[in-house]
């Protein structure tokens, strides 16, 4: 029992859990919960900042009855209080019927650091994986 507790307390395990929680929040339309994992000093492709990311997620949540985010294996690298997570993602959106109305695939690289003891993403870059 003690070995299991120790394993889940590793920085990598904590980061993977944060990532999973954020993915679930995005798919369930809980934008605020997703944004809890995003640093206030976030920057992304095209000059995206924290507010722009929030607005983008909110827009997709309002425009789609169902959102999906299917990731491939995570390449997690932790270096002290900083980390990176790279992954392939299939994003889908639609009205909740059998097939999604839209789908896009991306290669994503994210940079993370600890803020107040929690992992938060502070940078992301992505490119179309077609």
């Amino acid at each position: 029992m003690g070995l299991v507790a120790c394993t889940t307390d590793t920085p990598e395990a904590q980061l993977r859990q944060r990532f999973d929680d954020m993915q679930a929040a995005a798919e369930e339309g809980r934008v605020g919960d997703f944004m809890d994992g995003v640093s206030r000093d976030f920057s992304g492709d095209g000059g995206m900042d924290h507010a722009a990311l929030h607005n983008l997620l909110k827009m997709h949540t309002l425009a789609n009855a169902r959102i999906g985010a299917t990731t491939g294996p995570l390449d997690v690298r932790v270096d002290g209080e900083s980390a990176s997570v790279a992954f392939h993602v299939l994003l889908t959106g639609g009205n909740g019927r059998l097939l999604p109305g839209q789908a896009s695939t991306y290669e994503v690289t994210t940079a993370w650091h600890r803020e107040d003891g929690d992992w938060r993403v502070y940078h992301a870059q992505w490119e179309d994986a077609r």
Side-chain angles (χ1 to χ4, degrees), residues 9 14 24 33-34 36-37 50 53 55 66 68 85 99 108 113 124:
D9 287 343
Q14 293 168 354
D33 290 342
F34 178 91
D36 284 345
H50 187 272
L53 178 60
N55 293 339
R66 184 170 179 152
V85 180
L99 297 175
V108 182
H113 58 216

Side-chain angles (χ1 to χ4, degrees), residues 20-126:
D20 290 348
D21 292 347
M22 291 173 70
Q23 182 175 351
E27 291 180 319
E28 294 166 10
R30 296 182 287 114
V31 175
D33 290 342
F34 178 91
M35 294 303 294
D36 284 345
V38 179
S39 177
R40 283 280 181 207
D41 62 353
F42 175 83
S43 66
D45 283 352
M48 183 173 289
D49 63 6
H50 187 272
L53 178 60
H54 176 271
N55 293 339
L56 178 68
L57 291 170
K58 191 68 171 172
M59 179 191 72
H60 281 289
T61 299
L62 293 172
N64 294 284
R66 184 170 179 152
I67 295 174
T70 305
T71 58
L74 302 181
D75 179 13
V76 178
R77 298 170 193 259
V78 177
D79 183 16
E81 297 294 300
S82 298
S84 66
V85 180
F87 56 95
H88 182 89
V89 63
L90 169 64
L91 297 175
T92 58
N95 60 10
R97 293 193 176 141
L98 181 61
L99 297 175
Q102 50 191 316
S104 300
T105 56
Y106 299 94
E107 292 291 335
V108 182
T109 303
T110 57
W112 299 70
H113 58 216
R114 285 197 193 257
E115 292 178 3
D116 301 322
D118 293 322
W119 287 106
R120 289 194 172 80
V121 61
Y122 70 90
H123 181 75
Q125 64 184 55
W126 54 90

